[in-house]
Each structure stands twice: as C-alpha cells, then as structure tokens.
mmCIF file of all heavy atoms in Angstrom:
data_model
loop_
_atom_site.group_PDB
_atom_site.id
_atom_site.type_symbol
_atom_site.label_atom_id
_atom_site.label_comp_id
_atom_site.label_asym_id
_atom_site.label_seq_id
_atom_site.Cartn_x
_atom_site.Cartn_y
_atom_site.Cartn_z
ATOM 1 N N PRO Q 1 104.772 116.399 123.992
ATOM 2 C CA PRO Q 1 103.327 116.364 123.754
ATOM 3 C C PRO Q 1 102.917 115.030 123.126
ATOM 4 O O PRO Q 1 103.773 114.288 122.625
ATOM 5 C CB PRO Q 1 103.086 117.521 122.787
ATOM 6 C CG PRO Q 1 104.403 117.850 122.211
ATOM 7 C CD PRO Q 1 105.457 117.358 123.154
ATOM 8 N N LEU Q 2 101.623 114.743 123.156
ATOM 9 C CA LEU Q 2 101.112 113.476 122.639
ATOM 10 C C LEU Q 2 100.019 113.760 121.616
ATOM 11 O O LEU Q 2 99.043 114.451 121.923
ATOM 12 C CB LEU Q 2 100.548 112.638 123.788
ATOM 13 C CG LEU Q 2 99.858 111.337 123.418
ATOM 14 C CD1 LEU Q 2 100.855 110.351 122.820
ATOM 15 C CD2 LEU Q 2 99.192 110.739 124.649
ATOM 16 N N LEU Q 3 100.174 113.239 120.419
ATOM 17 C CA LEU Q 3 99.200 113.412 119.347
ATOM 18 C C LEU Q 3 98.392 112.132 119.199
ATOM 19 O O LEU Q 3 98.975 111.052 119.055
ATOM 20 C CB LEU Q 3 99.915 113.745 118.030
ATOM 21 C CG LEU Q 3 99.050 113.942 116.801
ATOM 22 C CD1 LEU Q 3 98.131 115.156 116.973
ATOM 23 C CD2 LEU Q 3 99.931 114.110 115.564
ATOM 24 N N ILE Q 4 97.066 112.271 119.235
ATOM 25 C CA ILE Q 4 96.183 111.103 119.132
ATOM 26 C C ILE Q 4 95.191 111.337 118.001
ATOM 27 O O ILE Q 4 94.731 112.455 117.785
ATOM 28 C CB ILE Q 4 95.433 110.873 120.464
ATOM 29 C CG1 ILE Q 4 96.419 110.418 121.510
ATOM 30 C CG2 ILE Q 4 94.298 109.891 120.310
ATOM 31 C CD1 ILE Q 4 95.828 109.946 122.791
ATOM 32 N N ASN Q 5 94.846 110.271 117.291
ATOM 33 C CA ASN Q 5 93.812 110.288 116.256
ATOM 34 C C ASN Q 5 94.221 111.145 115.051
ATOM 35 O O ASN Q 5 93.372 111.675 114.343
ATOM 36 C CB ASN Q 5 92.477 110.774 116.845
ATOM 37 C CG ASN Q 5 91.270 110.316 116.047
ATOM 38 O OD1 ASN Q 5 91.363 109.380 115.267
ATOM 39 N ND2 ASN Q 5 90.158 110.975 116.246
ATOM 40 N N ALA Q 6 95.509 111.241 114.794
ATOM 41 C CA ALA Q 6 95.996 112.065 113.692
ATOM 42 C C ALA Q 6 95.532 111.538 112.334
ATOM 43 O O ALA Q 6 95.325 112.307 111.406
ATOM 44 C CB ALA Q 6 97.523 112.140 113.721
ATOM 45 N N PHE Q 7 95.365 110.232 112.214
ATOM 46 C CA PHE Q 7 94.962 109.618 110.944
ATOM 47 C C PHE Q 7 93.586 108.973 111.068
ATOM 48 O O PHE Q 7 93.277 108.016 110.367
ATOM 49 C CB PHE Q 7 96.001 108.576 110.509
ATOM 50 C CG PHE Q 7 97.397 109.118 110.511
ATOM 51 C CD1 PHE Q 7 98.313 108.723 111.480
ATOM 52 C CD2 PHE Q 7 97.796 110.046 109.568
ATOM 53 C CE1 PHE Q 7 99.598 109.230 111.493
ATOM 54 C CE2 PHE Q 7 99.087 110.568 109.574
ATOM 55 C CZ PHE Q 7 99.988 110.159 110.534
ATOM 56 N N GLY Q 8 92.747 109.526 111.954
ATOM 57 C CA GLY Q 8 91.467 108.912 112.288
ATOM 58 C C GLY Q 8 90.324 109.204 111.343
ATOM 59 O O GLY Q 8 89.215 108.763 111.581
ATOM 60 N N SER Q 9 90.567 109.931 110.257
ATOM 61 C CA SER Q 9 89.500 110.191 109.292
ATOM 62 C C SER Q 9 90.088 110.169 107.887
ATOM 63 O O SER Q 9 91.296 110.337 107.699
ATOM 64 C CB SER Q 9 88.845 111.547 109.550
ATOM 65 O OG SER Q 9 89.707 112.604 109.180
ATOM 66 N N VAL Q 10 89.219 109.978 106.922
ATOM 67 C CA VAL Q 10 89.661 109.988 105.531
ATOM 68 C C VAL Q 10 90.274 111.344 105.197
ATOM 69 O O VAL Q 10 91.320 111.426 104.545
ATOM 70 C CB VAL Q 10 88.480 109.670 104.579
ATOM 71 C CG1 VAL Q 10 88.873 109.877 103.132
ATOM 72 C CG2 VAL Q 10 87.999 108.238 104.804
ATOM 73 N N ARG Q 11 89.662 112.414 105.673
ATOM 74 C CA ARG Q 11 90.179 113.764 105.402
ATOM 75 C C ARG Q 11 91.607 113.924 105.929
ATOM 76 O O ARG Q 11 92.479 114.460 105.248
ATOM 77 C CB ARG Q 11 89.248 114.808 106.045
ATOM 78 C CG ARG Q 11 89.760 116.219 105.955
ATOM 79 C CD ARG Q 11 89.655 116.780 104.552
ATOM 80 N NE ARG Q 11 90.162 118.140 104.524
ATOM 81 C CZ ARG Q 11 91.094 118.561 103.689
ATOM 82 N NH1 ARG Q 11 91.581 117.767 102.771
ATOM 83 N NH2 ARG Q 11 91.514 119.799 103.734
ATOM 84 N N ARG Q 12 91.864 113.447 107.130
ATOM 85 C CA ARG Q 12 93.211 113.579 107.694
ATOM 86 C C ARG Q 12 94.215 112.684 106.965
ATOM 87 O O ARG Q 12 95.382 113.045 106.818
ATOM 88 C CB ARG Q 12 93.192 113.317 109.195
ATOM 89 C CG ARG Q 12 92.503 114.449 109.949
ATOM 90 C CD ARG Q 12 92.749 114.423 111.421
ATOM 91 N NE ARG Q 12 92.125 113.332 112.121
ATOM 92 C CZ ARG Q 12 90.866 113.325 112.554
ATOM 93 N NH1 ARG Q 12 90.092 114.369 112.357
ATOM 94 N NH2 ARG Q 12 90.386 112.290 113.204
ATOM 95 N N MET Q 13 93.766 111.530 106.480
ATOM 96 C CA MET Q 13 94.658 110.681 105.682
ATOM 97 C C MET Q 13 95.010 111.381 104.366
ATOM 98 O O MET Q 13 96.155 111.348 103.920
ATOM 99 C CB MET Q 13 93.994 109.327 105.387
ATOM 100 C CG MET Q 13 93.837 108.451 106.612
ATOM 101 S SD MET Q 13 95.406 107.910 107.298
ATOM 102 C CE MET Q 13 95.973 106.823 106.023
ATOM 103 N N GLU Q 14 94.026 112.043 103.757
ATOM 104 C CA GLU Q 14 94.294 112.792 102.530
ATOM 105 C C GLU Q 14 95.283 113.926 102.793
ATOM 106 O O GLU Q 14 96.180 114.173 101.983
ATOM 107 C CB GLU Q 14 92.987 113.341 101.952
ATOM 108 C CG GLU Q 14 92.074 112.266 101.415
ATOM 109 C CD GLU Q 14 90.671 112.753 101.098
ATOM 110 O OE1 GLU Q 14 90.303 113.880 101.495
ATOM 111 O OE2 GLU Q 14 89.930 111.976 100.457
ATOM 112 N N LEU Q 15 95.133 114.599 103.924
ATOM 113 C CA LEU Q 15 96.083 115.656 104.281
ATOM 114 C C LEU Q 15 97.477 115.071 104.500
ATOM 115 O O LEU Q 15 98.478 115.654 104.076
ATOM 116 C CB LEU Q 15 95.624 116.384 105.545
ATOM 117 C CG LEU Q 15 94.387 117.263 105.400
ATOM 118 C CD1 LEU Q 15 93.905 117.743 106.773
ATOM 119 C CD2 LEU Q 15 94.663 118.444 104.489
ATOM 120 N N ALA Q 16 97.552 113.910 105.145
ATOM 121 C CA ALA Q 16 98.849 113.279 105.411
ATOM 122 C C ALA Q 16 99.566 112.910 104.116
ATOM 123 O O ALA Q 16 100.771 113.119 103.974
ATOM 124 C CB ALA Q 16 98.667 112.048 106.290
ATOM 125 N N PHE Q 17 98.808 112.365 103.153
ATOM 126 C CA PHE Q 17 99.393 111.953 101.878
ATOM 127 C C PHE Q 17 99.436 113.087 100.860
ATOM 128 O O PHE Q 17 99.969 112.913 99.760
ATOM 129 C CB PHE Q 17 98.606 110.781 101.276
ATOM 130 C CG PHE Q 17 98.842 109.471 101.967
ATOM 131 C CD1 PHE Q 17 97.806 108.806 102.580
ATOM 132 C CD2 PHE Q 17 100.107 108.905 101.994
ATOM 133 C CE1 PHE Q 17 98.008 107.590 103.207
ATOM 134 C CE2 PHE Q 17 100.326 107.692 102.623
ATOM 135 C CZ PHE Q 17 99.275 107.030 103.229
ATOM 136 N N GLU Q 18 98.855 114.233 101.225
ATOM 137 C CA GLU Q 18 98.800 115.401 100.349
ATOM 138 C C GLU Q 18 98.148 115.071 99.011
ATOM 139 O O GLU Q 18 98.690 115.326 97.941
ATOM 140 C CB GLU Q 18 100.190 115.996 100.155
ATOM 141 C CG GLU Q 18 100.783 116.496 101.451
ATOM 142 C CD GLU Q 18 102.161 117.091 101.286
ATOM 143 O OE1 GLU Q 18 103.068 116.389 100.784
ATOM 144 O OE2 GLU Q 18 102.324 118.261 101.653
ATOM 145 N N VAL Q 19 96.951 114.471 99.090
ATOM 146 C CA VAL Q 19 96.164 114.130 97.910
ATOM 147 C C VAL Q 19 94.736 114.638 98.095
ATOM 148 O O VAL Q 19 94.314 114.956 99.203
ATOM 149 C CB VAL Q 19 96.150 112.604 97.654
ATOM 150 C CG1 VAL Q 19 97.545 112.093 97.330
ATOM 151 C CG2 VAL Q 19 95.563 111.840 98.831
ATOM 152 N N ASN Q 20 93.989 114.701 96.994
ATOM 153 C CA ASN Q 20 92.589 115.117 97.060
ATOM 154 C C ASN Q 20 91.655 113.953 97.339
ATOM 155 O O ASN Q 20 90.513 114.147 97.731
ATOM 156 C CB ASN Q 20 92.179 115.807 95.758
ATOM 157 C CG ASN Q 20 92.909 117.122 95.583
ATOM 158 O OD1 ASN Q 20 93.070 117.876 96.531
ATOM 159 N ND2 ASN Q 20 93.369 117.385 94.382
ATOM 160 N N GLY Q 21 92.118 112.737 97.098
ATOM 161 C CA GLY Q 21 91.343 111.539 97.368
ATOM 162 C C GLY Q 21 92.291 110.366 97.533
ATOM 163 O O GLY Q 21 93.343 110.317 96.887
ATOM 164 N N LEU Q 22 91.922 109.418 98.393
ATOM 165 C CA LEU Q 22 92.815 108.281 98.634
ATOM 166 C C LEU Q 22 92.984 107.408 97.396
ATOM 167 O O LEU Q 22 93.963 106.685 97.276
ATOM 168 C CB LEU Q 22 92.307 107.455 99.818
ATOM 169 C CG LEU Q 22 92.393 108.144 101.177
ATOM 170 C CD1 LEU Q 22 91.857 107.246 102.274
ATOM 171 C CD2 LEU Q 22 93.810 108.573 101.490
ATOM 172 N N GLY Q 23 92.042 107.516 96.452
ATOM 173 C CA GLY Q 23 92.170 106.776 95.200
ATOM 174 C C GLY Q 23 93.423 107.154 94.427
ATOM 175 O O GLY Q 23 93.955 106.337 93.658
ATOM 176 N N GLU Q 24 93.904 108.376 94.633
ATOM 177 C CA GLU Q 24 95.137 108.811 93.958
ATOM 178 C C GLU Q 24 96.323 107.938 94.367
ATOM 179 O O GLU Q 24 97.193 107.633 93.543
ATOM 180 C CB GLU Q 24 95.449 110.270 94.286
ATOM 181 C CG GLU Q 24 94.499 111.260 93.668
ATOM 182 C CD GLU Q 24 94.845 112.696 94.046
ATOM 183 O OE1 GLU Q 24 96.045 113.022 94.150
ATOM 184 O OE2 GLU Q 24 93.905 113.484 94.241
ATOM 185 N N ILE Q 25 96.348 107.544 95.626
ATOM 186 C CA ILE Q 25 97.443 106.690 96.110
ATOM 187 C C ILE Q 25 97.372 105.328 95.419
ATOM 188 O O ILE Q 25 98.386 104.804 94.960
ATOM 189 C CB ILE Q 25 97.375 106.521 97.646
ATOM 190 C CG1 ILE Q 25 97.461 107.865 98.338
ATOM 191 C CG2 ILE Q 25 98.439 105.565 98.146
ATOM 192 C CD1 ILE Q 25 98.760 108.595 98.132
ATOM 193 N N ALA Q 26 96.172 104.769 95.333
ATOM 194 C CA ALA Q 26 95.998 103.467 94.674
ATOM 195 C C ALA Q 26 96.433 103.544 93.209
ATOM 196 O O ALA Q 26 97.094 102.627 92.710
ATOM 197 C CB ALA Q 26 94.540 103.017 94.778
ATOM 198 N N GLU Q 27 96.071 104.633 92.541
ATOM 199 C CA GLU Q 27 96.456 104.798 91.132
ATOM 200 C C GLU Q 27 97.972 104.855 90.986
ATOM 201 O O GLU Q 27 98.536 104.262 90.056
ATOM 202 C CB GLU Q 27 95.832 106.065 90.559
ATOM 203 C CG GLU Q 27 94.333 105.972 90.374
ATOM 204 C CD GLU Q 27 93.696 107.307 90.003
ATOM 205 O OE1 GLU Q 27 94.442 108.256 89.647
ATOM 206 O OE2 GLU Q 27 92.459 107.403 90.083
ATOM 207 N N ARG Q 28 98.641 105.562 91.893
ATOM 208 C CA ARG Q 28 100.101 105.659 91.815
ATOM 209 C C ARG Q 28 100.744 104.297 92.031
ATOM 210 O O ARG Q 28 101.684 103.914 91.323
ATOM 211 C CB ARG Q 28 100.622 106.655 92.843
ATOM 212 C CG ARG Q 28 100.291 108.095 92.448
ATOM 213 C CD ARG Q 28 100.609 109.077 93.534
ATOM 214 N NE ARG Q 28 102.025 109.142 93.835
ATOM 215 C CZ ARG Q 28 102.523 109.840 94.851
ATOM 216 N NH1 ARG Q 28 101.726 110.532 95.642
ATOM 217 N NH2 ARG Q 28 103.820 109.867 95.069
ATOM 218 N N ILE Q 29 100.234 103.549 92.993
ATOM 219 C CA ILE Q 29 100.787 102.211 93.264
ATOM 220 C C ILE Q 29 100.568 101.306 92.064
ATOM 221 O O ILE Q 29 101.480 100.581 91.642
ATOM 222 C CB ILE Q 29 100.162 101.615 94.544
ATOM 223 C CG1 ILE Q 29 100.634 102.410 95.762
ATOM 224 C CG2 ILE Q 29 100.515 100.136 94.684
ATOM 225 C CD1 ILE Q 29 99.921 102.072 97.039
ATOM 226 N N GLN Q 30 99.356 101.343 91.478
ATOM 227 C CA GLN Q 30 99.080 100.519 90.300
ATOM 228 C C GLN Q 30 99.995 100.888 89.148
ATOM 229 O O GLN Q 30 100.450 100.015 88.404
ATOM 230 C CB GLN Q 30 97.620 100.665 89.881
ATOM 231 C CG GLN Q 30 96.669 99.938 90.794
ATOM 232 C CD GLN Q 30 95.198 100.156 90.420
ATOM 233 O OE1 GLN Q 30 94.885 101.074 89.672
ATOM 234 N NE2 GLN Q 30 94.332 99.317 90.938
ATOM 235 N N GLY Q 31 100.276 102.181 89.001
ATOM 236 C CA GLY Q 31 101.184 102.615 87.944
ATOM 237 C C GLY Q 31 102.565 101.998 88.090
ATOM 238 O O GLY Q 31 103.186 101.595 87.092
ATOM 239 N N PHE Q 32 103.042 101.882 89.324
ATOM 240 C CA PHE Q 32 104.356 101.264 89.543
ATOM 241 C C PHE Q 32 104.298 99.762 89.319
ATOM 242 O O PHE Q 32 105.236 99.165 88.795
ATOM 243 C CB PHE Q 32 104.873 101.568 90.950
ATOM 244 C CG PHE Q 32 105.325 102.983 91.117
ATOM 245 C CD1 PHE Q 32 104.682 103.822 92.002
ATOM 246 C CD2 PHE Q 32 106.383 103.485 90.386
ATOM 247 C CE1 PHE Q 32 105.084 105.136 92.155
ATOM 248 C CE2 PHE Q 32 106.802 104.792 90.524
ATOM 249 C CZ PHE Q 32 106.149 105.625 91.408
ATOM 250 N N LEU Q 33 103.200 99.141 89.711
ATOM 251 C CA LEU Q 33 103.085 97.696 89.550
ATOM 252 C C LEU Q 33 102.955 97.291 88.080
ATOM 253 O O LEU Q 33 103.350 96.194 87.700
ATOM 254 C CB LEU Q 33 101.883 97.166 90.343
ATOM 255 C CG LEU Q 33 101.999 97.287 91.865
ATOM 256 C CD1 LEU Q 33 100.715 96.822 92.534
ATOM 257 C CD2 LEU Q 33 103.184 96.487 92.388
ATOM 258 N N LYS Q 34 102.402 98.167 87.264
ATOM 259 C CA LYS Q 34 102.185 97.861 85.849
ATOM 260 C C LYS Q 34 103.367 98.273 84.968
ATOM 261 O O LYS Q 34 103.295 98.137 83.758
ATOM 262 C CB LYS Q 34 100.913 98.564 85.357
ATOM 263 C CG LYS Q 34 99.658 97.989 85.946
ATOM 264 C CD LYS Q 34 98.441 98.716 85.423
ATOM 265 C CE LYS Q 34 97.178 98.160 86.052
ATOM 266 N NZ LYS Q 34 95.987 98.907 85.603
ATOM 267 N N MET Q 35 104.438 98.773 85.566
ATOM 268 C CA MET Q 35 105.589 99.200 84.761
ATOM 269 C C MET Q 35 106.165 98.008 84.004
ATOM 270 O O MET Q 35 106.322 96.925 84.561
ATOM 271 C CB MET Q 35 106.681 99.813 85.641
ATOM 272 C CG MET Q 35 106.460 101.254 85.941
ATOM 273 S SD MET Q 35 107.925 102.135 86.521
ATOM 274 C CE MET Q 35 108.430 101.239 87.936
ATOM 275 N N GLU Q 36 106.442 98.251 82.745
ATOM 276 C CA GLU Q 36 107.045 97.215 81.907
ATOM 277 C C GLU Q 36 108.484 97.616 81.571
ATOM 278 O O GLU Q 36 108.829 98.792 81.567
ATOM 279 C CB GLU Q 36 106.231 97.038 80.634
ATOM 280 C CG GLU Q 36 104.822 96.531 80.913
ATOM 281 C CD GLU Q 36 103.997 96.385 79.652
ATOM 282 O OE1 GLU Q 36 104.592 96.377 78.546
ATOM 283 O OE2 GLU Q 36 102.778 96.285 79.775
ATOM 284 N N THR Q 37 109.280 96.645 81.272
ATOM 285 C CA THR Q 37 110.672 96.910 80.896
ATOM 286 C C THR Q 37 110.694 97.700 79.595
ATOM 287 O O THR Q 37 110.049 97.309 78.623
ATOM 288 C CB THR Q 37 111.431 95.578 80.715
ATOM 289 O OG1 THR Q 37 111.291 94.808 81.903
ATOM 290 C CG2 THR Q 37 112.901 95.821 80.429
#
C-alpha cells in the first residue's frame, strides 16, 4: 500500500511526535542544547 500526506498537517505532526503541541519538541531540543556539565 501507499501512504500519502501522512505529515501534511500540524495535527498529524503532533500525532506522529505524540505531543499536544509542536512547541513541546522545541522545548525538549532547547533543554538538551542548554545542558551544562
């Protein structure tokens, strides 16, 4: 089978990443970038 447009909306991206908002992903990335020794 062929799947098309699976990530074609913000809602589907949130489902893919299993988050309530895409901002959660940015916050997680920033948390890793700001890690100090």
Side-chain angles (χ1 to χ4, degrees):
L2 175 66
L3 179 64
I4 291 189
N5 203 18
F7 309 108
S9 72
V10 172
R11 174 73 180 127
R12 289 194 291 276
M13 291 294 292
E14 291 168 348
L15 290 171
F17 286 118
E18 297 180 303
V19 296
N20 293 319
L22 292 180
E24 290 179 37
I25 301 296
E27 290 171 13
R28 288 171 64 187
I29 292 170
Q30 286 177 344
F32 287 117
L33 294 176
K34 291 180 182 177
M35 276 198 303
E36 296 179 16
T37 305

